[in-house]
Structures are given as C-alpha cells and as structure tokens.
Amino acid sequence: MVARQVFGEHLERVERYAALLASAGVERGLLGPREVPRLWDRHLLNCGVLAPLVPADASLCDVGTGAGLPGLVIALARPDVSVTLLDPLLRRADFLLEAVAELGVANACVVRARAEEHEGRYDVVTARAVAPLGRLARVAMRLCRPGGSLWAVKGERAEEELREAAPELPRWGVATWSVEKVGEGIVSPPTTIVRLIARSAGANRRRR
C-alpha cells in the first residue's frame, strides 16, 4: 500500500485527518466534494512525499495552508518538525485548530495571519497553490531564515513560472533556485516543487 510506504507508523493519524477533510472539510467549504474520491492520490500522498525532505528538528511554516495541505500532513508524518500553519481566514483557522486538537498534533500551531503580517523565521517555508511564483517569493521569502528555503508546490507550469519569475528572485533574497520532482517511483505523477534557497547571512552582509 502506497500510503503505508509514505506515512509508515503515522498512517493511522493521517487516515483520521483524511476523514476530517472528507466530512468537516467539505461541509465548511475547505475542500470540494469532487476532491473526496481523489483525496489520497491528489492531496495526502502528494504532500506526504515532501516530509522526508525536511531536515531533522527543523522549523517549517506553511503559508496559505488552507485545510492543512501540505503543512498538517508534514506535521503528522514528522513529529520532530515544528510546524506553523499560517492562514488569514477564520473558518480555515478554526478547522485547523480543531483538527490539531483532535489529532493530538503537539508539533503544530495555527496562526491566523497573512504572510506579510507574520514575523516568524523558519528553516523551510512551504506553499501549495497559493500564488504565482514571483508574487509568492515576494511575500514568503522574508519568512526564511538565512540559508533556509521556500518550497512552492506547483504543477505542470513550474518550469514556465520559474522562467518568468527568475529575473526578480534575487531582489527577494533568493540565492539559487531549482525545479524538483519528489516521490518519483512512489506517487504518480510525482510532486513538483520549485525550491528557492535564501541567501546566507554572510552573503547578505557582502551584498550590503
């Protein structure tokens, strides 16, 4: 079973989260009813394959997390990672607070705010279907610690979006960037991310 391969001993909690998404998540308009039959393939497994990439004991912020994708999935799969679920909408924050409490996710906290308003700094920042890459980099790179990274979960237009945004990326503190396929041989299609690496503190001093 692919889900067991991806989530291992944490599968039971992910299954409980799936049940919440398919019930309260749909009722509150956080997930469309048509997404329920493909909840695992399109959403949970798609996000779950990102979890092994997060460094041990890292801090992570999921910008515009919505119903918790991918942030809450990563928190469930990686209890060692400290996850902040960031979203400005009250109904999403309420759902996430209830989900975190019901699932007993001690390593996740919910913050109701826009990325522009949030003052945290993280090793990894994630975003899935939030905004075009250039706009996302402008608002989300400031949440990365020096040397940290922004992972933008994208689809077929990842390469095109990166080409369009590349001239502006250094302006937002990006040192290097790449498009990566995650979970090849495990999920089909693999998850595509654009990884933007923030300049190190030393590089920022040299730039000034």
Side-chain angles (χ1 to χ4, degrees), residues 19-70:
L20 287 175
L21 287 174
S23 54
V26 173
E27 292 163 9
R28 299 185 189 190
L30 305 184
L31 191 75
R34 294 181 181 178
E35 297 301 308
V36 174
R38 51 187 181 180
L39 184 57
W40 284 92
D41 290 341
R42 182 164 181 167
H43 299 287
L44 297 174
L45 295 173
N46 178 268
C47 295
V49 294
L50 299 176
L53 301 184
V54 183
D57 302 314
S59 61
L60 181 147
C61 180
D62 189 26
V63 172
T65 190
L69 302 165

Side-chain angles (χ1 to χ4, degrees), residues 169-191:
L169 294 181
R171 179 181 179 186
W172 310 123
V174 182
T176 61
W177 49 83
S178 59
V179 175
E180 302 175 19
K181 301 288 186 181
V182 184
E184 287 186 300
I186 301 173
V187 295
S188 182
T191 303

Side-chain angles (χ1 to χ4, degrees), residues 37 130 134 145 184:
V130 171
R145 290 176 176 162
E184 287 186 300

Side-chain angles (χ1 to χ4, degrees), residues 42 46 127-133 152-162 179-181 189-194:
R42 182 164 181 167
N46 178 268
R128 183 176 187 256
V130 171
L133 188 61
V153 183
K154 294 291 184 179
E156 296 177 354
R157 290 193 67 250
E159 296 274 5
E160 182 180 347
E161 281 198 44
L162 181 55
V179 175
E180 302 175 19
K181 301 288 186 181
T191 303
T192 302
I193 67 169
V194 179

Side-chain angles (χ1 to χ4, degrees), residues 91-190:
R91 62 189 173 91
R92 294 175 182 168
D94 284 346
F95 171 82
L96 291 168
L97 285 167
E98 294 168 16
V100 165
E102 184 170 335
L103 299 171
V105 192
N107 60 316
C109 69
V110 179
V111 176
R112 185 187 168 205
R114 298 168 59 86
E116 299 92 327
E117 304 163 342
H118 188 50
E119 294 301 323
R121 295 294 182 272
Y122 302 89
D123 299 310
V124 178
V125 177
T126 56
R128 183 176 187 256
V130 171
L133 188 61
R135 192 191 320 161
L136 177 64
R138 176 170 56 83
V139 300
M141 284 302 298
R142 57 180 293 276
L143 300 179
C144 292
R145 290 176 176 162
S149 57
L150 168 62
W151 302 355
V153 183
K154 294 291 184 179
E156 296 177 354
R157 290 193 67 250
E159 296 274 5
E160 182 180 347
E161 281 198 44
L162 181 55
R163 282 195 299 272
E164 293 172 354
E168 290 292 310
L169 294 181
R171 179 181 179 186
W172 310 123
V174 182
T176 61
W177 49 83
S178 59
V179 175
E180 302 175 19
K181 301 288 186 181
V182 184
E184 287 186 300
I186 301 173
V187 295
S188 182

